[in-house]
Amino acid sequence: MGQIADGETPRYALLDGVAFCAMPKAAWSSLRAACVDSGGTSALGIPAVERRISVVRHPYDRARSWWQDQRAAHSCSDIALELYRSNDTFDIHWASQSWLVDIYGATEIWRYENLQEHWAAFRPDIALPHRNAARRHRHGIEYVLDETAKTLIHRRYISDFKRFGYDP
């Protein structure tokens, strides 16, 4: 079992013998709630199951979501610079999705943008809640990434753009 940020142990939710790997800012709270509310479990470590699913999200949207939740008072360029200067082991919330997918040994990737369809194919009898829904405006701030922020985010998460086929 790998270690992620600052000695954290990987987290997962388990339902019907399938492990959903924690991916901050990519519907993790919704997936965990759906699993636990349906009789599954949520725990630390990587379970010995054959099917391990990670959900990935466009790096710009993931960064914007983090900015909205954590640092509303800072500019998008300041946040992007923090992300750019970080590394994968500094904080799980800032880690590249590519790195986390490898740590988890994910056997399947679901894109956040198609999550409802993936979930419906997996468990059509269980509604996937929408927890922590991001809003474009929060705290009186419009959360739009400027070109400087986009450049820094693209450089920091180039592996995510390439591996998961996201356009910059």
Side-chain angles (χ1 to χ4, degrees), residues 145-157:
L145 300 177
D146 62 25
E147 289 308 311
T148 300
K150 287 181 179 179
T151 298
L152 291 169
I153 292 165
H154 184 260
R155 287 181 185 163
R156 168 66 175 89
Y157 298 108

Side-chain angles (χ1 to χ4, degrees), residues 66-82:
W66 185 84
W67 173 31
Q68 289 173 308
D69 285 350
Q70 306 297 323
R71 308 288 180 142
H74 297 286
S75 75
C76 65
S77 293
D78 290 343
I79 295 301
L81 189 57
E82 281 186 55

Side-chain angles (χ1 to χ4, degrees), residues 31-88:
L31 287 166
R32 182 179 60 225
C35 290
V36 171
D37 292 349
S38 302
T41 59
S42 177
L44 298 176
I46 301 173
V49 296
E50 290 186 24
R51 190 173 179 198
R52 288 183 297 278
I53 298 170
S54 283
V55 176
V56 297
R57 185 177 188 180
H58 194 292
Y60 292 158
D61 293 334
R62 190 169 175 242
R64 184 185 299 110
S65 178
W66 185 84
W67 173 31
Q68 289 173 308
D69 285 350
Q70 306 297 323
R71 308 288 180 142
H74 297 286
S75 75
C76 65
S77 293
D78 290 343
I79 295 301
L81 189 57
E82 281 186 55
L83 293 171
Y84 180 72
R85 290 178 176 162
S86 71
N87 63 50
D88 287 334

Side-chain angles (χ1 to χ4, degrees), residues 14-25:
L14 189 65
L15 182 64
D16 297 339
V18 176
F20 291 89
C21 308
M23 184 69 70
K25 311 314 305 168

Side-chain angles (χ1 to χ4, degrees), residues 12 18 20 30 40 48 65 70 80 83 93 106 130 135 148 161 166:
Y12 70 92
V18 176
F20 291 89
S30 298
S65 178
Q70 306 297 323
L83 293 171
H93 292 87
H130 196 153
R135 289 170 236 115
T148 300
F161 281 94
Y166 287 112

